C-alpha cells in the first residue's frame, strides 16, 4: 500500500453500559455529539492524518453502523465492517478486523477507540512509529491523577518499559490514551477467535518478549467519553471550539442549533449546548452545556444544566434538571426538580398530570 494510503481500525463493539439509557437505542460511537454521530469526528481526524480505508470492529447493535455510514463514499472514505457475534475484547476485535486490511506486513495501521476525543497529532505519532520501526506505538497523555488509571512508564528514548495496572502509587503520570499504531504483522500475531485484551495481554506480552513498543507523549485535548458527564463535556467542547472538528455541522459558538430547531426569544442557551433537529426551547428556559437530541422539548422557565435529553424527551414548564440523563421520549412534568445525576429510562413519565408547554396553549 502506498505510504499516503493509510488504514485504521475503529473499535466500536462495546455495550457502553456507563452511558445507559442512551446506549439502549444506539451504540456509544453513534450517539449525536455536537450534532453528528460521534464517529464522524473520529473519521474527520483520521482522514486529516491521511487515513483512506477504515475497518469498523462492531458487535453491539452492529447493523446500525452500516446503516449510518454505508461504504463511506459519501464521506470520501472507504469503510468496511467486521462483526463479533460474541464481543472479543479490544485485542480480539483488532485481530478480527485484520481479515479486511489491505496493508502489507510492515505497514502501519492506526487503531482508534470509538469513544475517545483527542486533539493529538496522529501524523507525529506515526512518525515516531516509523522512525523506531516499532511493533506498536501508543499515544500517552499525562494526567494529574494517574492513580485512577493504569500507567505506562517510558525510558529516555521513549520506549515503553512496562504496562502497569491501576495502583495507589503510580510510577508515572503517563496513561494509555487509547490510540495505537500497530505494524500490520503484529496484528496478525494476536491469537484469533478468542477474547484478548490489548491492555492486559498484547502490550505486556510484546514488552516481555523484548519487542519495541514506543510511547508518543502528547498532552493535547483528550477526553474519554465513557460517562454521561464526559459525554456532555465532549459535545459542548466541540460546539465551543475547544477542540476543532471538521465534522462540526455549524459555526463554533455558545450553542449549535440543527435544522428545524427553534429557540424562543427570551430563552438562554449557552455553554456549548446542542439543540437537535426539530427540538424546541421555550421562552424563559435556561439550557446550559447540554445535549438535546432530535425533537426534545424544554418548557418555559425550565432549567436544564449539563444534561442529555434523548430523542423526543420533554422537560415541562418550570422543571429543573442538573447532570441528568433523560431517556428517549421520557417526560418530566411541570415544576419537578430532579436530584442531580438522575437517569430516567426511555418512555418514563414523571408526574404526567402536570405537563405544561406554553407552545401547546
Ligand atoms: P462501558 O460498558 O461503559 O465500559 O463502555 P464500552 O463497552 O464501550 O467499553 P470501553 O469504554 O472500555 O471500550 C473502549 C472502546 O473499545 C469503545 O470504543 C468500545 O466500543 C470498544 N470495545 C470494547 N470492547 C470491545 C469488544 O469486545 N469488541 C470491539 N470490537 N470493540 C470493543
Amino acid at each position: 500500500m502506498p505510504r499516503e494510503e493509510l488504514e485504521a481500525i475503529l473499535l466500536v463493539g462495546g455495550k457502553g453500559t456507563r452511558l445507559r439509557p442512551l446506549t439502549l437505542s444506539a451504540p456509544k460511537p453513534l450517539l449525536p455529539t455536537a450534532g453528528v454521530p460521534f464517529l464522524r469526528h473520529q473519521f474527520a481526524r483520521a482522514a486529516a492524518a491521511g487515513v483512506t480505508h477504515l475497518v469498523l470492529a462492531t458487535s453491539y447493535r452492529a447493523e446500525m453502523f452500516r446503516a449510518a455510514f454505508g461504504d463511506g463514499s459519501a464521506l470520501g472514505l472507504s469503510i468496511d465492517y467486521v462483526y463479533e457475534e460474541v464481543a472479543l475484547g479490544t485485542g480480539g476485535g483488532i485481530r478480527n478486523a485484520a481479515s479486511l486490511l489491505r496493508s502489507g506486513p510492515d505497514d502501519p495501521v492506526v487503531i482508534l477507540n470509538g469513544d475517545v476525543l483527542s486533539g493529538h497529532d496522529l501524523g507525529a505519532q506515526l512518525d515516531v512509529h516509523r522512525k523506531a520501526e516499532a511493533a506498536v506505538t501508543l499515544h500517552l497523555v499525562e494526567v494529574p491523577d494517574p492513580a485512577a488509571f493504569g500507567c505506562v512508564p517510558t525510558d529516555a528514548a521513549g520506549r515503553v518499559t512496562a504496562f502497569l495496572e491501576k495502583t495507589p502509587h503510580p510510577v508515572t503520570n503517563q496513561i494509555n490514551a487509547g490510540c495505537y499504531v500497530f505494524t500490520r504483522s503484529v496484528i496478525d500475531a494476536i491469537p484469533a477467535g478468542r477474547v484478548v485484551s490489548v491492555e492486559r495481554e498484547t502490550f505486556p506480552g510484546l514488552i516481555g518478549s523484548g519487542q519495541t513498543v514506543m510511547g508518543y507523549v502528547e498532552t493535547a485535548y483528550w477526553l474519554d467519553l465513557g460517562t454521561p458527564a464526559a459525554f456532555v463535556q465532549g459535545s459542548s467542547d466541540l460546539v465551543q471550539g475547544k477542540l476543532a472538528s471538521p465534522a462540526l455541522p455549524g459555526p463554533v459558538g455558545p450553542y449549535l442549533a440543527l435544522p428545524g430547531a427553534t429557540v424562543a426569544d427570551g430563552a438562554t442557551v449557552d455553554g456549548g449546548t446542542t439543540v437537535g433537529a426539530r427540538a424546541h426551547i421555550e421562552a424563559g428556559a435556561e439550557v446550559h452545556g447540554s445535549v438535546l437530541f432530535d425533537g426534545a422539548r424544554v418548557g418555559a422557565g425550565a432549567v436544564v444544566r449539563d444534561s442529555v435529553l434523548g430523542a423526543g424527551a420533554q422537560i415541562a414548564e418550570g422543571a429543573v434538571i442538573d447532570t441528568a440523563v433523560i431517556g428517549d421520549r421520557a417526560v418530566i412534568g411541570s415544576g419537578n426538580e430532579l436530584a442531580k445525576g438522575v437517569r430516567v429510562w426511555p418512555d418514563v413519565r414523571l408526574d404526567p398530570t402536570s405537563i405544561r408547554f406554553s407552545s401547546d396553549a
Side-chain angles (χ1 to χ4, degrees):
M1 193 173 243
R3 209 163 210 230
E4 60 279 10
E5 277 200 3
L6 259 179
E7 297 190 284
I9 295 170
L10 275 102
L11 290 168
V12 295
K15 288 203 171 91
T17 48
R18 289 167 297 158
L19 274 181
R20 282 185 191 158
L22 302 172
T23 44
L24 296 175
S25 54
K28 179 167 52 174
L30 290 184
L31 290 178
T33 313
V36 291
F38 176 73
L39 280 187
R40 288 283 305 279
H41 301 290
Q42 296 285 58
F43 291 171
R45 280 187 35 74
V51 171
T52 52
H53 178 221
L54 294 161
V55 182
L56 267 55
T58 69
S59 182
Y60 175 66
R61 309 297 301 256
E63 71 294 345
M64 292 185 73
F65 290 95
R66 192 187 291 274
F69 308 119
D71 66 1
S73 52
L75 300 169
L77 291 162
S78 162
I79 303 181
D80 281 313
Y81 303 84
V82 280
Y83 174 62
E84 296 154 45
E85 181 131 22
V86 176
L88 293 171
T90 46
I94 294 169
R95 176 66 181 87
N96 192 47
S99 59
L100 293 181
L101 292 174
R102 302 166 187 160
S103 309
D106 298 329
D107 289 333
V109 178
V110 175
I111 316 286
L112 295 167
N113 266 351
D115 59 353
V116 169
L117 200 51
S118 174
H120 80 285
D121 183 345
L122 190 50
Q125 182 179 354
L126 280 154
D127 284 346
V128 167
H129 183 81
R130 290 192 178 106
K131 220 169 270 165
E133 296 181 3
V136 177
T137 301
L138 300 106
H139 173 214
L140 306 177
V141 287
E142 294 172 303
V143 294
D145 178 22
F149 306 85
C151 73
V152 187
T154 45
D155 67 15
R159 203 166 156 152
V160 174
T161 54
F163 215 83
L164 304 170
E165 298 271 347
K166 226 187 256 187
T167 139
H169 304 291
V171 297
T172 165
N173 61 351
Q174 294 173 177
I175 66 159
N176 172 13
C179 171
Y180 319 124
V181 180
F182 269 69
T183 294
R184 162 72 197 266
S185 58
V186 177
I187 295 178
D188 293 331
I190 296 172
R194 70 164 170 90
V195 174
V196 180
S197 157
V198 278
E199 299 86 351
R200 271 178 241 114
E201 189 174 338
T202 312
F203 298 148
L206 289 170
I207 294 162
S209 64
Q211 300 210 50
T212 304
V213 177
M214 294 299 290
Y216 170 72
V217 185
E218 185 190 334
T219 306
Y221 181 100
W222 181 79
L223 191 65
D224 173 346
L225 270 65
T227 63
F231 176 72
V232 287
Q233 191 191 327
S235 182
S236 62
D237 285 350
L238 285 162
V239 169
Q240 294 176 103
K242 292 184 184 169
L243 174 68
S245 170
L248 187 71
V252 161
Y255 74 89
L256 170 71
L258 297 186
T262 47
V263 176
D265 287 347
T268 304
V269 185
D270 59 16
T273 292
T274 298
V275 190
R278 300 171 308 285
H280 178 56
I281 301 176
E282 293 186 346
E286 284 175 40
V287 182
H288 177 78
S290 295
V291 183
L292 276 55
F293 289 2
D294 294 352
R297 268 172 107 186
V298 179
V303 178
V304 174
R305 199 172 294 119
D306 301 333
S307 297
V308 188
L309 306 190
Q314 303 188 47
I315 310 297
E317 267 186 31
V320 178
I321 65 166
D322 192 338
T323 40
V325 179
I326 310 296
D328 294 343
R329 300 169 303 279
V331 180
I332 310 300
S334 306
N336 274 286
E337 201 161 318
L338 300 191
K340 259 185 160 184
V342 153
R343 297 184 193 213
V344 177
W345 246 237
D347 297 303
V348 166
R349 296 167 71 85
L350 283 183
D351 197 6
T353 51
S354 61
I355 297 168
R356 288 187 304 276
F357 285 92
S358 52
S359 46
D360 291 339

